[in-house]
Amino acid sequence: MNQITQFFSNLKADFDRLNQSVDDLVRTYKAIVHFLDLISNLFPIDLVLVLILSLPLLYVINTLSPSTPRVNYTISVVFISGLRSFLSHTISESWEIFAVTKTALILLLPAYFFVVLKFGFSLFNKYRIKKKALSPLHLESSFISLQKAYHDLSAEIYSELGKNEGKSFVDGQKFLPKIQDLETSISGLKTLIKKPEDAPHSSE
């Protein structure tokens, strides 16, 4: 009798352990599903797939041309995105241009964010310097701007002459931006000099 009781007791304990294991498995499964849902909400599945498929192609291109990683990454993403659009058209007769373009832009944005930021800052800096050169507050700042523009132009001309020593032709088109900076500084100096002359006329 004790053996039968012990048998059923062991059987119940095994069943409880099995039930606990099943409950743990179910909870793990639900946690994984919840995690995947969260990931899919943050990162759409098409974005993840394009990124994953781009990596092997990126590795191959980097092997052939390791000096241009950003361009290689762009080529990989654009190629896989184009392939995805072609497959989508083959299956559902829809190119899905908007979705494909949005995914590609999201993947390329981190690679070009600092480039765009640097380009924007460069444009803003050029605009600020030009505005300061055109409307100097006093003679000292105008003279500094004029002197800098002149030295920049002189340095570029001397550098070009050194590179083309012995050659009769020098491409002067590349000097035009520096010449325009010099002209801007001269215009700012003229404006500053004329201000005292205009003051009496305005008071009359």
Side-chain angles (χ1 to χ4, degrees), residues 143-157:
F143 176 71
I144 292 174
S145 176
L146 179 62
Q147 191 177 38
K148 181 180 183 305
Y150 173 75
H151 281 303
D152 289 346
L153 176 60
S154 300
E156 188 158 342
I157 291 176

Side-chain angles (χ1 to χ4, degrees), residues 2-114:
N2 289 335
Q3 292 179 348
I4 296 175
T5 303
Q6 185 65 34
F7 171 77
F8 281 106
S9 178
N10 293 338
L11 186 62
K12 182 178 181 302
D14 292 340
F15 179 78
D16 290 340
R17 283 194 294 270
L18 179 62
N19 191 39
Q20 182 65 36
S21 299
V22 172
D23 290 341
D24 292 340
L25 185 61
V26 171
R27 281 195 294 270
T28 302
Y29 171 77
K30 289 182 178 179
I32 293 174
V33 171
H34 177 71
F35 176 75
L36 292 177
D37 287 340
L38 182 63
I39 293 297
S40 63
N41 290 330
L42 294 175
F43 306 100
I45 189 66
D46 56 341
L47 186 146
V48 176
L49 286 176
V50 171
L51 178 60
I52 292 175
L53 293 175
S54 298
L55 293 179
L57 181 60
L58 176 62
Y59 175 78
V60 174
I61 299 177
N62 276 339
T63 303
L64 299 175
S65 178
S67 60
T68 56
R70 185 182 291 113
V71 176
N72 298 345
Y73 175 69
T74 303
I75 294 173
S76 302
V77 171
V78 171
F79 178 80
I80 297 299
S81 297
L83 183 61
R84 177 203 164 196
S85 180
F86 174 76
L87 292 176
S88 175
H89 178 70
T90 303
I91 296 172
S92 60
E93 297 185 354
S94 174
W95 292 101
E96 296 187 2
I97 299 296
F98 177 76
V100 171
T101 303
K102 183 180 73 171
T103 299
L105 288 177
I106 292 174
L107 289 174
L108 292 175
L109 182 61
Y112 288 92
F113 175 76
F114 290 105

